[in-house]
Amino acid sequence: MSVYLDHAATTPMVEPALVAMNQQLRKLGNPSSLHTPGRSARKDIEQSRESLAKVVGCIPSEIIFTGSGTESDNTALKGLFWKGRKEGKNLVLISAIEHHAILDPAQWLQEHEGAQVIEIPVDSNGVVEIEALDTLLSQRADEVAVISVMHANNETGAIQPIAAIVQAANEYSIPVHSDAVQSFGKVGLNFAELGLTAMSLSGHKIGGPLGIGVLVLKRGLELPALLHGGGQEREIRSGTLNAPAIVALSAAAECSIPVEEIQQLRQLLENGIKQAVPDAYINSTGEKLPGIVNATYPGTESDTLLLLLDAEGIAASTGSACSAGVQRPSHVLLAMGHNEKSARSSLRFSIGTSTTRAEIERVLEVLPVVIERARAANLR
Amino acid sequence: MRLIAAMSGGVDSAVAAARAVDQGHEVIGVHLALSSNPQKYRSGARGCCTVEDSHDARRAADVVGIPFYIWDMAEEFHEGVVENFLSEYAAGRTPNPCLRCNEKIKFAAVLDRARAMGFDGVVTGHYARTRQSPSGKTLHRAVDISKDQSYVLSVLTVEQIEGAYFPLGDTEKIDIRKEAAERGLSVANKPDSHDICFVPSGDNAGWLHERLGSEVGPIVDQEGKEIGKHKGAYTYTIGQRKGLGLSVPTEDGSPRFVLKIEPKTNTVVVGARADLAIRTMYGEKPVWCGPAVALTPTEGFVQIRAHGQPLPCTYYLDGDKLVATLAAPLLGLATGQAMVIYDGDRVVGSATVCETLA
Ligand SMILES: Cc1ncc(COP(=O)(O)O)c(C=O)c1O
């Protein structure tokens, strides 16, 4: 039996998305062309844009299609920084637990564009400390070009206090971007209600295709582009619109993810882990995404766990690896107060639409042996 | 059996993994990340452990059709191999890091981990053979003598040899490349790595200089008379003749050779070629690749370099030291090198040279 519990990395496309994509792939026409086939493709895209706008609580023109969540994050962070810099602001505030799609561009802005990046700390549950942000803003608000805090963390699932952050930022009219790639479809997400300036989404985390992202960007706001060319998306993102991926993304967004069932499976898994491995503990126990179970198994190394589970046909995740493929202790767990050792002993299971009870039971069945072997193999 | 194949990204370990699969074993490929700050590309035939190597190893595993993972052994490698290399040089000895890597990493850290995880052993692309004997598995030279790596494997204990699988030992290197090409492995024509993998520039002296610093010191003759200055004692090796920069010629105009390096006084001792000759060598911390060596002298061969000639000798155990007395004198032997005893093509054991006698 093969068990896929890495849905936070990518999740299978849902049937309506597959159907929509297939149909669109057979259609002719560049959506920027003025003739009939072009207009037809354009129509399909605009319909998708409108239905997507309804789902995320924005107006259609606020939706910019990009090539990925990563591109959306880069466009927002760099664009908002450059905009702020024109007004003499060079401070970039991000949380300490951002995805690399924010961390790395922030680092790049610091190294190449004269930005100063400050990371807002998180508590032991992996939630941004709003007081730390308040303190920072009370001292240096006029220097801040942009604040970027993810809506929910991809490793722990911890949901972040975005509304409170926006409220704090609004006092100083600082734009706030949020990477909502993991939250999309799984928890309530309403761009207008949150009061965000920008928000990133990605197709392949919700049952849509790979290679399509969305940057929701407040109406009327101009940002410097990363990609220059045909000017397709508000002059902020050039490139022929990817109609098949766009209609499939919108079809996937229309399908609701069975959040209740996922949550029940998560409970089953969390309880089972605690029973099977009494000294294991769950990372992030507050408000979080329905399908993520990040736990620490003392005395193990996560890459050993991954190998042993994989040999049993179970796919889990150890977080990010460097370019050579070497496992790195998670910066998210380190920010939550883990030391390198306990961070290296942690593993993420993530549950998705297609996950079954039998899959969870299978994991719990093999876990004790896997943990025992991993402990024996731990030489450090 | 369930085996871990250590895959460096080179042609040998790729074919070794493929052969292990053909032999019916359940094989998992593992690339050892040995540097915490890997270089992106290989430069020439030097170095390993680059991002490119890990990619090549992954592609080879794909072609062979086995799972593939990367194990981070950077810390173990640094402590067990790189630091040892530095401290040995600092102590005036000439270490062989490949040997240490086999001893501390490939057949220790990796094999232990593999066994704990339920695997039976480790497959590598080393050119060496093992054979079953009544007393257990024994270690032997490869068929391709020019590629034979039994020397750098001579630090393995019986226990470690039990868990070691060398599928290439019965084949000539040239045929391994052909086989790799036939198997569709893209590394078939990848150059062999030479030199020391963690010194990517190949400039050992420069690398050591950066890390150990270097202090100018005296070059003396055997009477202790200073006849020149050296640029850091560890950049010299026993038997070295070139690059001494001596201005005082010998009486008969004959060349001088490095005889000894004395790290405590930062002195390099030079003398005539004949003074290099040694007949007896003592080795510390012996390891037996089979039954332990007896106290009574036994006829056999000793090899003191990875691809050196086996030299006829008698060997025996004296206290905790392995002793080899050569049939004919040898010119130049640095302490720190491994002396490896052979009985025909079987590796008897090895020790680290700690003293030599004329
Ligand atoms: C929080 C978060 N942000 C951004 C991304 C990147 O999205 P994409 O894979 O579409 O580039 C991911 C996915 O790995 C993610 O989890």
Side-chain angles (χ1 to χ4, degrees), chain A residues 68-70 73 99 101 150 154 179 181-182 202 204-205:
Chain A
S68 64
T70 301
D73 281 349
H99 188 272
M150 67 203 321
N154 50 303
D179 175 340
V181 166
Q182 290 291 338
S202 176
H204 70 107
K205 310 278 185 178

Side-chain angles (χ1 to χ4, degrees), chain A residues 28-39:
Chain A
L28 180 67
N30 183 323
S32 297
S33 300
L34 304 177
H35 45 58
T36 305
R39 283 200 313 276

